[in-house]
Structure formats: structure tokens, C-alpha cells
Amino acid sequence: MNIRDLIKIGFSNLWQTKLRSILTILGVVIGIGALSSMISFGTGIQKNITDAFKNNDLFTSMNVTAAKIGMDDIQHPDPGRIRDAMKEKKAPLNDSTLELIRNVEGVAIAHPEIILPCKLVMGEKNTSTRAQALPAAMGKYKPYKDLMAGTFLLSDTGRQMVLSWETMRRLGYVCIDDKQNKLSKKDSSENRILVNADTMIGKKLFLVAATIDVKKVMKNPFAMMNGAGEEAFSEDSTVFTLTGILKRSGPFGSGDIKGGAVIPAKTASEIPTLGFSSIWDILSPGKDENQYSSIYVRVGDIQEMGRIRKEIEDMDMHVFSISDQLEEIKRGFLIMDSILGAIGVVALLIAALGIINTMVMSILERTREIGIMKAIGGSDREIKTIFFVEAGSIGLIGAIFGLLLGWLFTRVATLVINNYIVPDDEVAVDLFYFPIWLILGAIAFSILISLAAGLYPAARAARIDPVKALRHD
Amino acid sequence: MNIQINELVKTFRKGENTIPAVNHLSSTVRDGSFTAVVGKSGSGKSTLLNLVGGLDRPDSGEIIIDGKNVAALNRRELSVYRKTTVGIIFQSFNLIHHRTAQENVELSLAFNGITGRKRKEKSKALLESVGLGERLDHLPNELSGGETQRVSIARALANDPHVLLADEPTGNLDSSTSHEIMQLLQRLNKESGLTIIMVTHDRETAEIVSDHLIQLKDGAIMDEKIR
């Protein structure tokens, strides 16, 4: 008997016991629905985060520092450990080391990282943010190469400024984009106005830099807390022209992590003395003049990261990269996916018991039929295959409707999350992702589990003695 | 091709007792003969038929058909033997109740690897040959007893077997329908030269239709007549 006939018989047998077949399939539907929606949640979170990293080219970026300061120090600063790290201080970061780094093969761009806390004033509105000093050449890279309006910095001098969508919003202007074309309730209540981003280009705004003399602060840090020590602060205002607006970042985007405003590198140096220029400064105060606290490096090819990193480390410098965390992040995702998947697998295993039950019942009911098939020439293998086809069909149909159920569930969950949990002025999130491997994998897994569940019943059917079966009522 | 049965033994266990169903039975069934096996209930008629039909295995002895010993075939070879060499009809018809008359015949052809139009045409022709051309799409429960047995005969003939084994084919039928079925079997034997081994408790009918009569008692041949 050819496979087409076996499939036909298998389906016809399922159809004979419609209600029982449907109930068994329903068990698989729920199992696959749970499994696929759980895993799609894990992959969705992973995709959102990796996309956000990719959109900001974080996988090809690294920070070079003189002392060994890592992610933990940024998240949970421990003065003792940082002091120890400072003692191990290696080569100084200055123009000559910057040049050395730039000359490393594969380095696309390297520049000192300068970030200054500031206040931006546009019309009557103002907001506190951080301005990042970047070379115009950064316009070739994400997220600066594709702006929603205007252009990136045209040169390393001049009073040009590029603002993030989020900074514009804080300044009272909601720029229309594909994610938002009307004011949210919050925007309306805060008197923001909806604007076309292009109309904002060319507007003037003030950058008010609050300079801090770190040395004065460090002399008596407790005086700051008591409101004394005001002599450490001073303010200076500079007029800039808005040349470009960055696109709104995604739900997991870095947004304003480094700064809501970008100004040319050389212009930044003209702005009155800055107390500290980056997060690295806060962690390693007391660096010498004419030294950078950190250098930002972007490599051309992600595959070159390891080699370039090693070359820079060989220069006696420390390298921090988000891609260092990648393996750890991946491990985290794997654990999360495994836990979520395990819950789904349990549901599917329960469904598998349902399949075994259905098949065994079916054999009992069809003992005589199996005997007839054997009497007219059906082989053990053909009888076994018929039952395998039945089990596999339950798995296949269950998987298709299970994926549909899982997908519907995630759509409803997304709708609920966006309508009731995410504030209406935030970018809508989609925490679920159904990649093709998940769809095909779920189908394959469901069929596999169903076939495994059919193993025992099929073997039992094949072993049936035709003489006894023909006497069976 | 003759069927040579040599020293065939089949016993069944019932508790601690061993009951001989077929007891050192030897006989030769000639090619093209109509052999009737008669005997009382429990004499071993059906067991003998099951052994010749490859549905059961003997404890010892041989059944030689076409040079092959059926008793020595493995499970896979037995299934090939059942679908190509023998066709079996039963007292209780044993049709698959949720399949139409044609589908029941087709199933037998399908197990022999016959597909598509050829299968459809052959199953239709077989049913027409047993007078059921108008009943192709009927389910077994929509057919009379005689019609159901004819479907069963059509199915048994589907793969052009060398031997047709009939286990009390008229046991569930009234006398006039029984007569029709017997006529049909006789026609198949005479016109097509099909070897038939029929088990029946009706000695009178057996003597009329058969040319080889085997009477069994306690699994052994009590009397054997060849005409």
C-alpha cells in the first residue's frame, strides 16, 4: 500500500470518531499554543533587545579606558574596587594613544567620549539632558545616518545640534512619525504640540552647561549634600541651530542613554570648562589634564571585534564592550526560553497522554478491522503505519491550530499590554515574535511527540493476532 | 498447483490441558478442485483453514503451496502470501462496516500496491461479476446477507488468488441465498479453475458441490473422498 492510501485510511479512521479525535487534537492545540506563545515571548524579548543593539551598532562598538572598569561598576559603583582599579592604571588616554587606536586595522572610527550634562532651552520650554560631542564622521553610522528630519552634523565645528525625538518631545514638540500621528493624552495635558519634524530644522536653542569643578566637589563631598559648596557650580549658555532630529527609538531602544543632544566635537571643547566629560570620569576622577577618560571605538566588521580588542588591550588599555555581555545575555535568554519552553512541553506531554489514550481506545474498538486488514494481506508495517499516520495527523492538525491559537493569544496579549500597561505616549511594544524556525519547529515537535505517543499503540496494533482479532466483537 | 499438507499439528492450551485442534493431518488438495471440509463443531475445520490461509501457524507439519512451505514463512512473507496466494471469505463476512462495497474491495487491491484508476476499474469489475454493479457505493449495513457475502467474495478474488478459502460461507444465510452463493462458488471453480477449500457443517451441500470431501473428527481425517 502506498503512503497516500495509508494517509487516506489514517484520516478516514480519525473521521470515524470525530468527537474523540477533535478532543484529542484540542489537547495538542492547547499544548502547542502554550509552547509557541511561551517561546515567542522569549524570542520576542530577545529580538527587541538585539534589534535595539543592532540599531545602535552596539555590537560593533567598544569603549577604551585606562583603568579596568566594567559594566558592574557602571551599574553598582563600588568606590573601593574602582580605587583598586585605578591603582592598576595602565597607559594614559591622550591624542597619541587615540591616534594609535585609529591606526589599528579595522577600526572605522575612534573619538574621545565627551558627554556633558546640560539644559536645553527652546522657546519657553527647557529640559535637562546630556549633550554628546561627536565627530561629523559619525553621520555614517547608526543611529545617526538615518534621521527623521534635517541632516547630521556637517562639520566638527559650528553651533549645530542634532536632537533625539525624545528630547524634542521633552521640549514640547511631538514630531509626527509612522508610530505617532496624534497627541497622546499625556502630551495634550502637558501642552505639547504636534509638529512636522522638517519645520523644526533651523530653529535656535540654547545649551546651558552646568559646569562642575570635580576637584572642589571631591574635597568636601558632604558640603554638596548640605547645599553648601555652591562655588563648585557655574552656568554658561550657548546658542545652537537645530540641524537634525533623530528617529524615535524603539521600545527597547537606548533612547537617550548617551545623550539627547549631539554637538560637534570641536565645538564642545569651546564650551566652558567641563567638570567631567563622561560616565568614565565619574568613575575615575582625578585624571590628568589633556587626557581622555574614555575613547569610543567603532569597528567596521563585527567579526573583527575580537582581534581589534586584543590589539588595543596589547597597548596596555582596557576595553569595555557591550558585546562582552552578549554571551551572558544569550545565556540568560537561553535559560528564559528553556523555562518558558518547559511549561509548554509539559502541556504537550499531557496532550501526548491523550493521544496514547485515544489510540489505544481506537485499537480496542478496531481490533476486528485490524484482523480483517491482516486477513486480506495487510502487513504489520502497514498496520503500524496507519496508526502512525493517525497519530502524526493529530500532531500536525494540533500544531497548525495550536500555532494559530498561540498567535491569537499573543495578539490579544499585545493589545492588552499596549492599551492598559504601556503609557499611551510610549512606543507600542510587541513582546512576541514568531520566527519561521518557531513555526516549523513547533509543527515538527508536535508531530514528533505525537508519533512517539503513537509508538506503543501502533506496535500493539501490529502485533494483533488476526485469528483472535477476527473473533473479536 | 496442488496443496500438499503433511503431518500438520496445531494444539491449543486451555488451562493446563492441551487440546489438539489439528492432529497429524495429511492430504493433497488438487489444483482446480473444489474441496469441502466437513465435520462437527470443534473438529478442527476452521483451524485447518486458518493454517492454510496463513492466519495461524501450525505447531509442526508442512503446507506446501507452489513449492513454498507456508508453515515456515515469517510474518512479512505471510502477509504477502495472504494478499497474493489466497483469498478468504468468512461466515460473518468481515467487511469493514464504514467502507462502501467498492472501498472494501479496493482495500484488498491497495494492500497489493494497486492504485488509481486501475484499482477503481478492477474493484468495479469484480463487483459487477458477482452481480453487485448497482451496489458499489452501498455500505455493508445497506446490503442483504447474500449481497454482503458477494462483496466478500469479490474482495477475496481481488488479487487473483490461487486458492479461495471459504469458512462457512453460507452459515449466516437463508437457504435460497445460500444456494445462490454456492452457485457462484461453483461457477468460479468451474469457469475460472479456481481452487476452493470450503469449510462447512452442511455435509449434504458439501457432497453436491465438491469433488474432494474431507471429513474431520478431533482434528484428524476420518473420511476422505475424491471424485
Side-chain angles (χ1 to χ4, degrees):
Chain A
M1 187 176 278
N2 64 17
I3 191 71
R4 202 173 142 213
D5 285 325
L6 292 170
I7 291 171
K8 216 169 152 186
I9 291 176
F11 270 95
S12 144
N13 289 341
L14 284 179
W15 191 244
Q16 285 303 308
T17 50
K18 286 181 219 59
L19 181 64
R20 197 168 59 210
S21 299
I22 288 169
L23 290 174
T24 311
I25 289 169
L26 206 60
V28 180
V29 168
I30 292 167
I32 286 291
L35 181 73
S36 61
S37 53
M38 294 276 185
I39 294 180
S40 86
F41 178 65
T43 46
I45 297 274
Q46 189 169 349
K47 185 178 184 294
N48 276 301
I49 293 174
T50 47
D51 279 359
F53 279 20
K54 272 187 204 158
N55 289 339
N56 292 287
D57 276 359
L58 290 182
F59 290 129
T60 49
S61 305
M62 54 180 113
N63 281 83
V64 179
T65 54
K68 189 173 181 181
I69 297 168
M71 185 64 114
D72 281 350
D73 299 311
I74 297 170
Q75 288 169 340
H76 313 288
D78 174 357
R81 211 213 69 73
I82 293 166
R83 209 179 301 117
D84 291 343
M86 292 302 295
K87 282 181 192 160
E88 294 168 19
K89 196 169 179 180
K90 298 180 176 179
L93 297 185
N94 51 30
D95 283 336
S96 55
T97 42
L98 178 62
E99 207 49 39
L100 279 173
I101 292 169
R102 280 178 178 153
N103 288 335
V104 172
E105 197 189 330
V107 168
I109 193 164
H111 62 81
E113 193 165 61
I114 300 167
I115 297 169
L116 55 135
C118 63
K119 192 162 78 180
L120 294 177
V121 182
M122 195 182 226
E124 290 174 1
K125 295 256 185 178
N126 67 73
T127 182
S128 293
T129 185
R130 290 182 305 274
Q132 192 183 4
L134 291 179
M138 279 299 282
K140 282 189 282 185
Y141 306 100
K142 286 178 185 173
Y144 310 113
K145 70 173 177 185
D146 191 15
L147 276 61
M148 77 179 296
T151 55
F152 191 65
L153 307 174
L154 297 170
S155 66
D156 290 340
T157 57
R159 302 291 163 91
Q160 319 160 55
M161 186 182 282
V162 173
L163 291 181
S164 68
W165 184 95
E166 290 77 8
T167 309
M168 285 298 293
R169 183 168 165 270
R170 286 202 301 275
L171 284 168
Y173 299 99
V174 177
C175 298
I176 299 168
D177 66 357
D178 53 355
K179 291 169 190 152
Q180 189 168 354
N181 59 8
K182 61 178 183 185
L183 288 176
S184 66
K185 280 178 196 161
K186 192 178 173 193
D187 286 330
S188 302
S189 70
E190 292 183 6
N191 298 322
R192 293 192 179 114
I193 54 169
L194 200 63
V195 292
N196 189 325
D198 291 323
T199 62
M200 300 304 289
I201 302 303
K203 297 252 184 211
K204 300 286 177 202
L205 71 162
F206 292 94
L207 182 147
V208 183
T211 58
I212 306 164
D213 188 331
V214 177
K215 283 173 186 162
K216 284 181 185 171
V217 174
M218 294 311 281
K219 268 183 200 164
N220 189 4
F222 296 107
M224 304 289 293
M225 294 177 197
N226 298 334
E230 280 175 9
E231 69 276 12
F233 290 99
S234 62
E235 276 195 355
D236 191 90
S237 177
T238 314
V239 181
F240 278 84
T241 304
L242 183 63
T243 59
I245 300 171
L246 297 174
K247 280 183 177 172
R248 188 179 194 178
S249 54
F252 287 80
S254 58
D256 290 348
I257 280 178
K258 283 193 173 171
V262 178
I263 55 172
K266 286 201 176 120
T267 307
S269 64
E270 292 160 11
I271 291 175
T273 315
L274 304 172
F276 52 88
S277 59
S278 80
I279 186 113
W280 310 104
D281 264 348
I282 302 167
L283 294 168
S284 56
K287 71 177 170 61
D288 299 330
E289 296 291 329
N290 302 321
Q291 279 187 25
Y292 306 119
S293 49
S294 88
I295 290 172
Y296 173 87
V297 178
R298 189 170 285 212
V299 303
D301 180 1
I302 194 165
Q303 306 296 332
E304 300 264 44
M305 277 290 277
R307 181 186 57 77
I308 293 168
R309 179 197 184 112
K310 184 152 191 324
E311 278 192 39
I312 296 172
E313 280 175 342
D314 287 347
M315 292 176 198
D316 234 11
M317 284 175 267
H318 178 69
V319 177
F320 168 80
S321 159
I322 198 83
S323 62
D324 292 350
Q325 314 297 315
L326 191 59
E327 286 309 311
E328 208 171 312
I329 292 170
K330 275 186 182 170
R331 208 162 34 242
F333 284 138
L334 196 67
I335 293 168
M336 184 170 81
D337 286 354
S338 303
I339 294 169
L340 294 173
I343 299 168
V345 167
V346 168
L348 201 59
L349 285 177
I350 295 167
L353 292 177
I355 295 175
I356 296 172
N357 185 39
T358 297
M359 304 291 284
V360 171
M361 283 294 292
S362 171
I363 289 167
L364 286 175
E365 283 173 358
R366 283 168 28 210
T367 301
R368 193 184 181 94
E369 190 178 318
I370 294 166
I372 295 169
M373 288 200 279
K374 286 197 159 189
I376 61 172
S379 66
D380 291 358
R381 217 181 83 193
E382 284 165 325
I383 304 292
K384 211 183 269 184
T385 310
I386 288 171
F387 280 87
F388 269 139
V389 167
E390 284 182 40
S393 307
I394 291 174
L396 176 68
I397 299 168
I400 292 167
F401 285 98
L403 280 166
L404 203 65
L405 177 77
W407 180 79
L408 278 174
F409 172 76
T410 61
R411 291 307 90 200
V412 172
T414 302
L415 215 65
V416 170
I417 291 166
N418 284 321
N419 281 328
Y420 297 101
I421 299 170
V422 175
D424 63 351
D425 56 332
E426 293 286 328
V427 179
V429 293
D430 190 352
L431 299 175
F432 303 95
Y433 178 50
F434 275 87
I436 192 78
W437 65 258
L438 175 59
I439 295 167
L440 296 179
I443 293 173
F445 188 59
S446 175
I447 293 175
L448 209 70
I449 288 273
S450 305
L451 288 178
L455 265 178
Y456 166 71
R460 192 169 148 168
R463 276 201 309 269
I464 283 179
D465 176 354
V467 176
K468 283 182 189 161
L470 289 168
R471 281 196 210 114
H472 199 273
D473 288 326
Chain B
M1 101 200 29
N2 292 346
I3 301 168
Q4 187 66 47
I5 301 168
N6 297 326
E7 284 294 310
L8 203 62
V9 175
K10 177 71 185 176
T11 53
F12 292 110
R13 280 187 162 276
K14 197 166 187 185
E16 293 199 346
N17 301 326
T18 304
I19 301 159
V22 176
N23 197 3
H24 296 279
L25 190 147
S26 297
S27 183
T28 301
V29 175
R30 281 175 293 117
D31 187 31
S33 67
F34 194 132
T35 301
V37 182
V38 295
K40 287 182 182 168
S41 185
S43 60
K45 307 184 295 289
S46 292
T47 305
L48 175 65
L49 207 72
N50 288 339
L51 294 172
V52 176
L55 293 171
D56 208 351
R57 285 171 180 282
D59 297 342
S60 63
E62 292 179 328
I63 303 163
I64 312 287
I65 298 182
D66 200 13
K68 280 183 205 156
N69 181 9
V70 178
L73 299 179
N74 63 29
R75 287 175 77 93
R76 195 181 56 80
E77 289 165 337
L78 270 180
S79 73
V80 175
Y81 168 78
R82 288 195 294 259
K83 74 181 154 199
T84 56
T85 310
V86 293
I88 311 175
I89 58 174
F90 304 90
Q91 180 179 354
S92 51
F93 319 126
N94 279 335
L95 293 182
I96 295 176
H97 67 93
H98 56 85
R99 294 183 179 277
T100 64
Q102 190 170 12
E103 284 169 348
N104 266 284
V105 179
E106 274 196 56
L107 188 64
S108 192
L109 292 162
F111 278 125
N112 203 20
I114 298 164
T115 55
R117 187 186 289 176
K118 195 177 168 193
R119 188 164 81 197
K120 285 256 175 244
E121 283 171 359
K122 186 158 190 192
S123 57
K124 189 176 173 216
L126 280 162
L127 286 165
E128 280 169 351
S129 74
V130 295
L132 292 175
E134 304 295 311
R135 296 276 195 269
L136 301 180
D137 297 327
H138 286 241
L139 290 168
N141 63 9
E142 294 166 346
L143 299 171
S144 69
E147 286 172 331
T148 310
Q149 193 60 293
R150 282 167 199 243
V151 177
S152 175
I153 292 169
R155 183 183 64 185
L157 298 175
N159 293 315
D160 305 314
H162 297 305
V163 190
L164 179 69
L165 304 173
D167 188 359
E168 303 268 13
T170 57
N172 279 352
L173 303 175
D174 60 49
S175 58
S176 97
T177 315
S178 296
H179 184 65
E180 282 174 23
I181 293 297
M182 280 302 164
Q183 278 186 322
L184 177 61
L185 293 177
Q186 272 186 301
R187 181 163 62 87
L188 287 168
N189 174 248
K190 288 209 171 80
E191 291 177 7
S192 317
L194 181 68
T195 308
I196 296 177
I197 303 177
M198 179 180 76
V199 161
T200 179
H201 61 274
D202 182 357
R203 188 177 174 116
E204 197 181 322
T205 309
E207 283 190 343
I208 296 168
V209 298
S210 71
D211 50 20
H212 181 184
L213 186 76
I214 297 171
Q215 186 173 1
L216 293 185
K217 188 184 179 191
D218 299 332
I221 295 177
M222 196 174 84
D223 188 22
E224 187 169 14
K225 283 180 195 164
I226 299 173
R227 278 188 288 181

